[in-house]
Amino acid sequence: MVTNELVVDGARLWETLTRSGEIGPGRTTGLNRPALCTADGEMRDQFVEWCRDAGLAVRVDQVGNIFARREGTENTLPPVALGSHLDTQIAGGKYDGILGVLAGLEIVRTLNDRSISTRRPLEVVCWTNEEGARYQPPMMGAGAFAGIHVLDWVLDQTDDDGKRFGDELKRIGYAGDATLPGHDLDSYFELHIEQGPELEAEGVPVGIVTGGFIAFGSQVQFHGETAHSGPTPMDKRRNALVGAAYLIAAVNDIGWKYHPDARSTSSRIQLWPNKYGILPDWAEVTVDIRHPDRETARKMADEVSGAIAEAGRKGNVDVEVVKEWEFGCDDFSTDCIDLLRNTADELGISYKEMLSQAGHDAYHVAAVAPTAMIFSPCRNGITHNEDEHIEQIDTLPAVNLLMHAVLKRANRT
Ligand code: HGY
Ligand code: MN
Ligand code: MN
């Protein structure tokens, strides 16, 4: 029975979020907790301790995804999962991903307090490396769970210091043994801050996510020749940074060409030797393009391919695409979306249907289980920024909606 009588303990959820906000502090008010760093390990330990205190059985898979299981009355049925990620950008906020995982824990704590059992088991999930800040591509753990990434390929990815994913996973103690691709899920629900201004601006407490922008990402390398930045004549230069610069500008122009719905940027460059007086012979640039329409996103990606070749020519350097990925979602479950709509109506919670412009673990999970997402408001839409902020009063409606939707899904005949 869906009733506003059954609500989570907002103060306890905020205590949990506050504790998380102390693990891996950023430069100012946010967090610096990229995947598999020591702080990520500490946060995982804290989360696992909380889960065990709540009577959950904790299992970790081969890429470090954590599944904290609350038994139901019919445990042969696949679990209803709810969660998100605990890793952050290095100038990240305290709520992106984290709210979804800790709201899942709070829901379990509330059901425990009320001695409410469910037919199907529940699993609170923390996916590994959603952000892709240290190891690209993003949503790596959920991707491995869904069979999109092969285990050995994930374990062999290295960060800027050459540290292997698999070694770092072992170092923080989360190289689990639950095999991949992952186990059956009845369904998966992800609560996430909107990472946009709409809900707050319109005073609507809940977003029901009907799909996600289609994104194409890549890492592009330019190979030139070191030389003296003085005597070397212009026609003899093979400056990798120049090739990269042509691409970065072209990627930006493509975004403007498909403005206002397109998103297109290069947010990262690496360079060697990156010193005064010597032309760099190596550069690596990331490309990130997105659009709500799959066809248009594909068209933008094709134009980026042309721009990559052109940048090599104009920079007089060799160019190669060393890694490519894509994500986006047009297959969230209509059953689960309807469940969210009906439950919100029963609770008298107003909502807005919307697309997600950021990527989420739910995109990959949707490939293997009926999946849906809920958004909650964040201040001025600020995110991937240490000033990211949410208010308890604006957030609890989404958490309570998540709880009641998960209860109905877990108890359905
Ligand atoms: O790329 C994304 O949108 C997500 O933040 N990883
Ligand atoms: Mn996120
Ligand atoms: Mn993020």
Side-chain angles (χ1 to χ4, degrees):
M1 163 62 178
V2 174
T3 153
N4 278 310
E5 245 304 284
L6 174 60
V7 290
V8 295
D9 180 335
R12 181 172 55 191
L13 173 57
W14 244 247
E15 266 168 43
T16 315
L17 285 166
T18 305
R19 174 67 193 120
S20 161
E22 295 160 353
I23 303 174
R27 281 183 318 185
T28 56
T29 55
L31 287 174
N32 173 4
R33 199 164 75 197
L36 313 188
C37 72
T38 303
D40 185 31
E42 283 166 21
M43 183 62 223
R44 286 160 165 263
D45 294 344
Q46 174 65 84
F47 172 61
V48 166
E49 184 191 320
W50 282 330
C51 290
R52 290 197 168 121
D53 291 348
L56 305 182
V58 173
R59 202 169 34 152
V60 180
D61 73 16
Q62 292 167 306
V63 292
N65 295 318
I66 302 171
F67 302 89
R69 182 181 171 92
R70 183 177 194 261
E71 296 297 357
T73 55
E74 295 184 41
N75 292 307
T76 53
L77 294 172
V80 173
L82 60 165
S84 189
H85 61 94
L86 291 173
D87 66 297
T88 76
Q89 287 286 342
I90 65 170
K94 294 178 174 173
Y95 309 102
D96 169 356
I98 299 157
L99 173 65
V101 180
L102 300 184
L105 172 65
E106 173 50 38
I107 286 167
V108 162
R109 286 170 164 170
T110 300
L111 299 182
N112 290 347
D113 292 347
R114 304 288 193 97
S115 312
I116 294 173
S117 59
T118 55
R119 185 164 173 243
R120 291 171 178 79
L122 304 182
E123 289 191 358
V124 183
V125 187
C126 163
W127 301 108
T128 299
N129 188 33
E130 189 280 339
E131 290 295 352
R134 188 176 171 200
Y135 297 97
Q136 289 84 43
M139 289 86 89
M140 225 182 210
F145 179 85
I148 293 163
H149 302 310
V150 172
L151 174 62
D152 289 345
W153 180 84
V154 170
L155 298 180
D156 283 341
Q157 295 312 301
T158 54
D159 69 1
D160 292 352
D161 304 321
K163 289 194 179 142
R164 221 177 127 264
F165 185 106
D167 300 338
E168 285 293 277
L169 195 63
K170 270 198 200 108
R171 184 181 68 81
I172 63 168
Y174 282 89
D177 51 14
T179 51
L180 291 165
H183 57 287
D184 262 1
L185 300 179
D186 166 84
S187 48
Y188 172 69
F189 293 85
E190 181 163 348
L191 164 59
H192 202 288
I193 58 170
E194 177 198 342
Q195 298 183 295
E198 292 176 42
L199 292 178
E200 183 193 47
E202 296 172 30
V204 175
V206 162
I208 293 181
V209 183
T210 52
F213 273 40
I214 307 302
F216 291 97
S218 56
Q219 271 172 5
V220 183
Q221 287 187 1
F222 295 85
H223 301 274
E225 224 167 274
T226 62
H228 198 304
S229 62
T232 313
M234 291 310 286
D235 63 347
K236 296 280 182 284
R237 291 172 180 235
R238 302 193 65 236
N239 181 337
L241 175 54
V242 168
Y246 278 125
L247 176 60
I248 292 166
V251 167
N252 188 56
D253 292 346
I254 290 167
W256 279 104
K257 179 176 170 187
Y258 292 92
H259 176 68
D261 292 334
R263 308 285 183 270
S264 173
T265 190
S266 289
S267 61
R268 173 176 157 77
I269 183 166
Q270 296 186 82
L271 207 50
W272 195 86
N274 198 20
K275 293 295 175 198
Y276 173 76
I278 179 170
L279 305 186
D281 67 354
W282 181 82
E284 182 181 280
V285 168
T286 58
V287 175
D288 180 347
I289 58 167
R290 310 188 186 197
H291 197 280
D293 169 66
R294 187 173 285 281
E295 280 316 299
T296 310
R298 168 52 63 201
K299 219 160 133 218
M300 291 171 65
D302 293 344
E303 291 183 25
V304 165
S305 304
I308 289 170
E310 173 73 355
R313 259 194 307 282
K314 285 168 75 175
N316 189 24
V317 290
D318 301 324
V319 60
E320 66 171 319
V321 179
V322 292
K323 202 183 275 185
E324 285 183 299
W325 57 88
E326 63 179 85
F327 55 80
C329 194
D330 28 30
D331 56 359
F332 281 150
S333 148
T334 43
D335 282 353
C336 292
I337 291 174
D338 283 344
L339 172 66
L340 292 176
R341 287 186 185 116
N342 301 335
T343 309
D345 291 342
E346 288 174 75
L347 290 168
I349 296 174
S350 60
Y351 62 85
K352 171 184 168 101
E353 298 192 12
M354 55 204 301
L355 288 178
S356 171
Q357 302 186 31
H360 299 288
D361 296 307
Y363 289 7
H364 289 332
V365 183
V368 292
T371 294
M373 285 194 75
I374 302 173
F375 275 169
S376 60
C378 60
R379 187 173 60 189
N380 299 330
I382 294 171
T383 187
H384 286 199
N385 179 308
E386 296 203 44
D387 290 342
E388 184 180 272
H389 182 77
I390 63 174
E391 291 293 342
Q392 185 178 150
I393 187 163
D394 303 333
T395 304
L396 291 184
V399 182
N400 288 319
L401 171 60
L402 175 64
M403 174 164 66
H404 285 282
V406 162
L407 276 175
K408 283 167 74 175
R409 180 78 190 183
N411 290 329
R412 80 189 188 288
T413 48

